[in-house]
């Protein structure tokens, strides 16, 4: 809706700012050696999941995108993961784990139910973001033919 701007940092952290006031709405500290004083708030797991702390990434954030319905934020890093956060509470929702190289691009399905990501090794992986495991792993969709009729948010 254009009311928030998400910014990935070279430290592995990221922040969301109000587009009008340019004030910080939420910030997550990265674990890179040069990470400064951007502090993450303690987060808990969504109901029904183990008490899984959100990951702290050490490498640069390479892509960051809100879902089309605005309910989720996907954060791709040079740590080879895509992390998902719920935008209502900023709780960590889960991670897409499976790439063999750094994330280069993220795209949401128009219905905000699936995600596709590419990496530096030229892999294109698909994800069902509706229900992560109790440990926070997002299910990878291994059949590309299942995705052939999906409308993507970015054309």
């Amino acid at each position: 809706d254009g009311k928030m701007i998400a910014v990935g940092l070279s430290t592995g952290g990221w922040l969301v700012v109000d587009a009008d006031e340019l004030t910080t709405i939420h910030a997550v500290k990265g674990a890179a050696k040069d990470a400064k004083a951007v502090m993450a708030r303690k987060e808990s797991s969504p109901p029904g999941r183990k008490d899984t702390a959100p990951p702290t990434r050490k490498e640069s954030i390479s892509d960051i995108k809100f879902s089309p319905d605005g309910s989720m934020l996907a954060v791709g890093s040079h740590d080879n993961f895509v992390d998902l956060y719920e935008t209502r509470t900023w709780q960590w929702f889960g991670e897409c784990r499976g790439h063999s190289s750094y994330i280069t691009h993220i795209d949401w399905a128009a219905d905000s139910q699936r995600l596709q990501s590419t990496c530096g090794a030229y892999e294109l992986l698909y994800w069902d973001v509706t229900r992560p495991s109790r440990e926070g792993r997002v299910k990878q969709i291994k059949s590309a033919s299942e995705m052939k009729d999906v409308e993507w948010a970015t054309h």
Side-chain angles (χ1 to χ4, degrees):
D1 64 6
K3 294 181 181 175
M4 295 184 282
I5 301 169
V7 180
L9 307 173
S10 63
T11 62
W14 55 271
L15 57 100
V16 175
V17 298
D18 178 280
D20 293 326
E21 303 294 323
L22 297 180
T23 55
T24 301
I25 295 171
H26 187 76
V28 171
K29 181 181 178 182
K33 292 179 185 175
D34 61 344
K36 302 252 189 298
V38 177
M39 298 305 293
R41 137 183 105 101
K42 182 168 172 44
E43 301 182 48
S44 58
S45 297
R49 290 227 316 263
K50 289 182 180 178
D51 188 21
T52 306
T56 303
R57 299 296 175 211
K58 297 177 182 166
E59 300 292 330
S60 299
I61 301 304
S62 50
D63 199 5
I64 188 166
K65 289 210 173 62
F66 288 101
S67 61
D69 67 5
S71 67
M72 302 280 281
L73 180 69
V75 181
S77 74
H78 276 237
D79 288 312
N80 306 356
F81 301 106
V82 177
D83 291 304
L84 302 173
Y85 292 84
E86 296 174 326
T87 59
R88 187 176 53 80
T89 61
W90 298 111
Q91 286 184 330
W92 180 72
F93 183 77
E95 72 182 359
C96 303
R97 178 185 290 226
H99 281 291
S100 62
S101 186
Y102 59 92
I103 305 303
T104 57
H105 183 73
I106 300 166
D107 194 12
W108 285 95
D111 65 4
S112 300
Q113 303 290 305
R114 289 158 298 219
L115 188 74
Q116 64 180 338
S117 55
T118 57
C119 75
Y122 305 103
E123 299 164 336
L124 169 61
L125 301 181
Y126 299 101
W127 311 94
D128 175 354
V129 301
T130 57
R131 286 172 283 162
S133 71
R134 289 177 48 87
E135 294 78 29
R137 298 272 311 260
V138 174
K139 181 183 175 191
Q140 184 180 347
I141 300 168
K142 300 207 177 195
S143 172
S145 63
E146 288 180 40
M147 308 306 289
K148 68 181 177 129
D149 295 324
V150 172
E151 181 182 342
W152 297 99
T154 305
H155 299 283

